Amino acid sequence: MAHERALIEELKGRTGLWEYRDYSGVDFGGIDLTKREFRYCRFSGAKFTEAKTDGIQLLLCLLDDIEARDCSFKGSRMMSVMAAGAILTGADFSGSDLINVNFNGIGGRGSIFDESDLFYSRFIGAGLADSSFQDCNLKRVDFSGAYMQGVDFTDSNPEESYLIGGDAE
Amino acid sequence: MRLLSHFPAIGISNTYIVGPKGGGDALLVDPGKFDVNLLELIENNGFNIKAVLVSHEHKNHVYGLKTLLKIYNAEIFAGKDGVMGFPAHELTDGTCIKAAGIPVEVIDVQGHSSDSRIYRVGPYLFTGDILSAGRLGTSPSPHARELMLRSVQEKILDRKEDLLILPGHGPPTTIQAEKRWNPELQIGSKTF
């Protein structure tokens, strides 16, 4: 707990770039992470519910099994990020660059990815019912085996993605 | 130890660099494309590339080698004794070597190409085209696919669950995530 508190205090102290930190299991509830930049950090199992995460920037970070229900990641930039198994129900990624991101197995019912660039990302086996991908770049995105009932692809290019085995309507 | 990753817009093969904190001699995995961004990444972090680990000699993983060797005096380590016409240290399964002074475990996994090698460097596993997030690599035949699946199960999946898998293509993953979310490995576990 003391280690977790120290990590959070360090984040509260200043904005800027954070590298090679291990935030596994940390509860970020109420913490302002707006526009913070993290590189090569581990957030496995961390809780982001109630955290402020708009505009967050992540490079090669691990967000596997995080809990970020209804979180807003609007305008975020993620590259080569691993978020497999994350709980992202109702999360909002509108207007984000989500390049080469591993969303395999996420719980993402009702999540919003509108106006985002998802080039080369993967949603294999993800739960995406009622999620929204309006006006997105879906080139080389992999939705294999994803549950996609009610997904909205208006003004996007799902024909350039991999939908093999997916359950698109 | 520091890890850096490079995802070029063209080519879409990942390149990785591992070196000491504060810079110094470093190793580079798969120079698929050696562009200005990669050069800046190396130089801005104070690294001197002394070793190149090649996952396999497919063009999109080694095409940048020629340029790299004009800038850095690096040894090449691979699954064969030459890559792109340059001499290489041929590595066999189970060998532990030092590349740029960094310990590297060599794992031979067949099924994609005969010279495919996976490298473990500390907490990182560089899997080339053998295993990526949610997928196994392509194989030339059903027999080769079965061989790959069996090798991955026997040599890779019983490792530490939080070992970070850094593939040649696509985003990073972990052993644990592949056990849970890779459909090809799910089927495999029932087969064997």
Side-chain angles (χ1 to χ4, degrees):
Chain A
M1 282 303 277
H3 177 61
E4 183 174 326
R5 271 200 300 273
L7 283 170
I8 287 175
E9 285 307 313
E10 185 188 43
L11 278 171
K12 283 178 179 172
R14 66 171 174 88
T15 56
L17 171 64
W18 307 88
E19 295 184 302
Y20 302 97
R21 303 287 204 282
D22 188 351
Y23 300 105
S24 298
V26 169
D27 187 346
F28 290 101
I31 306 297
D32 186 358
L33 301 173
T34 310
K35 293 184 178 174
R36 300 290 172 93
E37 187 175 358
F38 298 91
R39 294 180 188 170
Y40 311 101
C41 292
R42 188 179 277 264
F43 295 90
S44 306
K47 291 182 174 63
F48 288 83
T49 307
E50 305 294 322
K52 293 177 183 170
T53 45
D54 284 332
I56 196 167
Q57 296 183 49
L58 305 169
L59 173 66
L60 215 155
C61 291
L62 301 186
L63 281 74
D64 48 316
D65 295 313
I66 64 160
E67 195 179 311
R69 208 181 299 266
D70 298 319
C71 273
S72 176
F73 293 95
K74 286 180 186 172
S76 59
R77 296 181 67 187
M78 301 186 189
M79 181 176 272
S80 302
V81 163
M82 192 294 205
I87 298 169
L88 299 170
T89 313
D92 189 347
F93 291 87
S94 299
S96 295
D97 289 336
L98 307 168
I99 313 293
N100 198 35
V101 176
N102 177 357
F103 287 111
N104 294 351
I106 61 162
R109 175 180 282 272
S111 51
I112 302 165
F113 293 88
D114 296 349
E115 297 175 31
S116 291
D117 188 347
L118 288 142
F119 179 68
Y120 220 61
S121 289
R122 297 185 183 183
F123 290 86
I124 296 170
L128 295 171
D130 302 321
S131 57
S132 181
F133 289 83
Q134 290 186 30
D135 196 15
C136 287
N137 177 21
L138 301 176
K139 194 174 173 70
R140 303 188 82 146
V141 173
D142 194 336
F143 291 105
S144 303
Y147 185 73
M148 300 174 72
Q149 195 163 27
V151 172
D152 185 351
F153 284 128
T154 305
D155 295 328
S156 291
N157 54 341
E159 70 279 3
E160 292 192 78
S161 70
Y162 302 100
L163 278 162
I164 307 154
D167 189 22
E169 286 192 308
Chain B
M1 198 156 57
R2 281 170 70 91
L3 167 74
L4 301 173
S5 107
H6 177 58
F7 177 75
I10 301 165
I12 324 173
S13 294
N14 297 313
T15 297
Y16 304 100
I17 302 155
V18 179
K21 282 181 183 174
D25 292 349
L27 65 82
L28 183 145
V29 183
D30 280 358
K33 185 174 174 61
F34 200 93
D35 55 18
V36 173
N37 291 336
L38 179 56
L39 181 61
E40 283 179 357
L41 187 67
I42 295 166
E43 292 297 315
N44 291 344
N45 283 279
F47 285 139
N48 177 27
I49 303 301
K50 294 289 280 186
V52 176
L53 303 181
V54 174
S55 68
H56 62 299
E57 195 192 15
H58 282 174
K59 201 173 174 183
N60 56 346
H61 294 264
V62 295
Y63 194 65
L65 197 53
K66 202 172 169 183
T67 307
L68 185 148
L69 292 175
K70 285 178 182 168
I71 302 167
Y72 299 103
N73 183 21
E75 289 181 285
I76 303 168
F77 297 86
K80 56 206 298 193
D81 63 6
V83 178
M84 298 271 288
F86 297 103
H89 299 281
E90 185 173 352
L91 303 173
T92 53
D93 189 37
T95 315
C96 290
I97 59 159
K98 280 204 167 182
I102 299 166
V104 177
E105 178 190 352
V106 181
I107 306 157
D108 178 349
V109 175
Q110 290 297 300
H112 179 70
S113 64
S114 59
D115 65 328
S116 283
R117 297 291 181 270
I118 287 175
Y119 301 106
R120 187 185 65 78
V121 181
Y124 311 123
L125 196 66
F126 299 98
T127 53
D129 279 0
I130 296 291
L131 177 65
S132 65
R135 289 191 204 160
L136 276 181
T138 55
S139 305
S141 69
H143 170 70
R145 184 134 208 97
E146 215 170 287
L147 192 64
M148 184 194 290
L149 182 55
R150 194 188 299 267
S151 297
V152 166
Q153 290 182 322
E154 289 175 0
K155 296 181 178 180
I156 305 298
L157 293 188
D158 63 348
R159 288 168 186 264
K160 228 173 143 217
E161 298 237 307
D162 64 352
L163 194 61
L164 181 58
I165 293 172
L166 297 160
H169 303 281
T173 185
T174 61
I175 297 286
Q176 185 186 50
E178 290 317 291
K179 282 181 179 174
R180 287 162 68 191
W181 309 116
N182 189 320
E184 297 184 80
L185 298 178
Q186 307 287 318
I187 294 162
S189 62
K190 288 172 193 161
T191 307
F192 297 103

